[in-house]
Amino acid sequence: MEQQSEQLTFDFYTETPHISAESPDEIKLELGAFAGPLDLLLYLIKQEKANIFDIPIAKITDEYLKYIRLMKSLDISLAGDFIVMSATLIEIKSKMLLPREIFADAAGEIEDPRRELVDRLLEYEKFKAAAQMLYERSTVEQAVFPRGKIESDETNAETNATVFDILTVFQKILARHKEEVQMEIEREEVSLADMLKLMKQRIFTAKELNLLDFFAEIRTRRELVTAFIAILEIVRTESVKLTQDVTFGAITLKKV
Amino acid sequence: MDLENEEKKPREISEIVAIVEALIFVADEPITVKNLAEVLGEDREFVQSAVEHLRDEYDERDGGLQIRALAGGWQISTKTQYHEEVRAFLKTRPNAKLSLAALETLSVIAYKQPVTVPEILEIRGVQSASAIKTLLDKRLIVAKGRKETVGRPMMYGTSKDFLLQFGLKDLSELPSIEDFEDLLGQ
Amino acid sequence: MDLENEEKKPREISEIVAIVEALIFVADEPITVKNLAEVLGEDREFVQSAVEHLRDEYDERDGGLQIRALAGGWQISTKTQYHEEVRAFLKTRPNAKLSLAALETLSVIAYKQPVTVPEILEIRGVQSASAIKTLLDKRLIVAKGRKETVGRPMMYGTSKDFLLQFGLKDLSELPSIEDFEDLLGQ
């Protein structure tokens, strides 16, 4: 394979990807990301100022493959769909070399090998334009603000969970469950006596202990149970009390 | 003014307009004329005209707020021209923009809904899994049941948040997809 | 109108009034004149007069809203005389958002039904009693008989209301892990 000396300029953060070749062996590339192989093809066709209904397939295929090679040489991962498109292009290109009559159907109509690709490009182009329209709409919409929170919002928000939320939450539970099981195996047991000692130390040095914070340090369910028993024990036997300033607020263990 | 029948104690249109304004204000989402009519126990047409009256009043007032039709209902919001000051006050930046891939996927879903993942692939020519995940996370699209074909794939459509975020009254406000034709033709 | 000195590009009082209205509207809390003056880069006295101008305008307008001084700042709220209608409307709104605990419990029940309380505990790792009560109250789940094991615990499953609320034809329409594998994978 012939080694090309390609001089490259990169700008990964421009809004629209851009390649320009000033001489055959020099390619300037401004790389946002093409949204897909059709996006890249459209770009190349426009670049060539080619007629969509009469795509110079050999030329466009070459350009397309050059881009793919470039991305590979830069170790930029390309979606498999880009590779699939290369194969499609090469196939069309080779069909174009054959005498046209081969593609004539029973009625003698000649089917252009590029036909299906053109249809796809035209269809895709519509949605790409629609995407641009959505982009503009959202930009305008972002300049408009709804009123700030008022008291009634918190007391009565809408139920807006979707089935997707249900599934996502379920998967998180499963993942968490798996993690917990592994941790319980790894960790050493903490005895009630140890737990009592630890808690007393905390309370008597800091004068108080936020239970939520304390529980947050605990890793396993067994330890949690031990901690809970330890709290009951400490409240019963030592001069400490449990306080909670607001309903559902933080619970604090305080030295009396 | 319209109501002269003294059956219960008909409210003046001006009172209805005032109450409609109060309700649109407290609602945390665009509120429908239907909903307003129910709460007020008034005719839908009557309420509709009250809402329109209110909108005109806001337009004429030259204030900082506007009333507009959005996602099937009505909402009060700030006017676009004051976005810089509002943003400065809220210390917000414009939301992270959707990637090109996500926008394309969203446009396919908006126009072809309900649509499956393979159908989106067919149009875009590229896998759209991570774009779909982004759109689901942002609640712009929702699952719309399964298609009764091989594999019973999940179908997707746009959500109410989609209408809100793109400032649409309803889906019919989207320009027709055929309007985007011929861009490349010539 | 007050500003004739062309130093930077002084804003008309009417523009300041409009922006002040937009800012009071978007603020979560009553906003102080000091704060407004800072955001606008204007004199406090000037802003103070703009706010008062706005308040007078609201008073004269005879609409459903008022601007009032509250907790050292200014706030837009509905007028007291419409409190009945506002209250009536707020009551019609859908129920409060499901807590994460309730949503988690619901997801376990949806995917593992029929399932008992100890089984839910086993999966979630925390007690779910109050979440189950919430879900029963909202009729999203129903009791499905007892399991023939020790203690004969009650089994739960999702209800018809669950299908309605989540827009599902039947349980087979629940997305499966496979549907989202690609999406959630990365």
Side-chain angles (χ1 to χ4, degrees), chain A residues 186-233:
Chain A
E186 287 162 13
R187 286 218 153 205
E188 275 179 43
E189 292 296 321
V190 178
S191 71
L192 182 60
D194 292 340
M195 189 63 83
L196 270 169
K197 211 167 122 192
L198 178 67
M199 281 180 128
K200 277 182 195 167
Q201 246 171 25
R202 291 280 195 88
I203 298 166
F204 291 101
T205 50
K207 299 280 191 292
E208 60 173 53
L209 177 65
N210 182 323
L211 288 185
L212 213 60
D213 293 346
F214 187 73
F215 282 142
E217 296 169 25
I218 292 169
R219 294 279 161 241
T220 70
R221 208 183 312 155
R222 201 179 292 266
E223 262 181 48
L224 208 59
V225 173
T226 312
F228 188 70
I229 297 170
I231 291 165
L232 296 180
E233 188 65 15

Side-chain angles (χ1 to χ4, degrees), chain B residues 30-106:
Chain B
I31 180 171
T32 60
V33 168
K34 179 165 170 278
N35 198 341
L36 285 167
E38 279 163 12
V39 175
L40 291 163
E42 301 279 351
D43 242 34
R44 267 210 228 180
E45 288 72 33
F46 189 45
V47 173
Q48 176 73 33
S49 69
V51 172
E52 282 165 13
H53 182 103
L54 189 64
R55 180 200 50 203
D56 296 346
E57 203 184 290
Y58 267 69
D59 285 350
E60 281 159 29
R61 249 189 78 227
D62 208 24
L65 306 177
Q66 58 178 337
I67 294 200
R68 51 187 198 136
L70 189 68
W74 291 85
Q75 190 182 53
I76 303 180
S77 68
T78 59
K79 285 189 183 157
T80 48
Q81 65 254 50
Y82 303 121
H83 76 101
E84 272 180 43
E85 288 87 354
V86 173
R87 234 187 272 283
F89 168 67
L90 294 174
K91 296 196 177 69
T92 56
R93 307 159 122 271
N95 286 336
K97 290 191 174 122
L98 288 174
S99 69
L100 193 55
L103 269 172
E104 277 189 21
T105 306
L106 186 58

Side-chain angles (χ1 to χ4, degrees), chain A residues 1 19 32 36 40 45 64 117 119 173 189 199 204 208 217:
Chain A
M1 201 192 272
I19 320 172
L40 173 57
I45 290 166
Y64 186 94
L117 182 64
D119 286 348
I173 300 169
E189 292 296 321
M199 281 180 128
F204 291 101
E208 60 173 53
E217 296 169 25

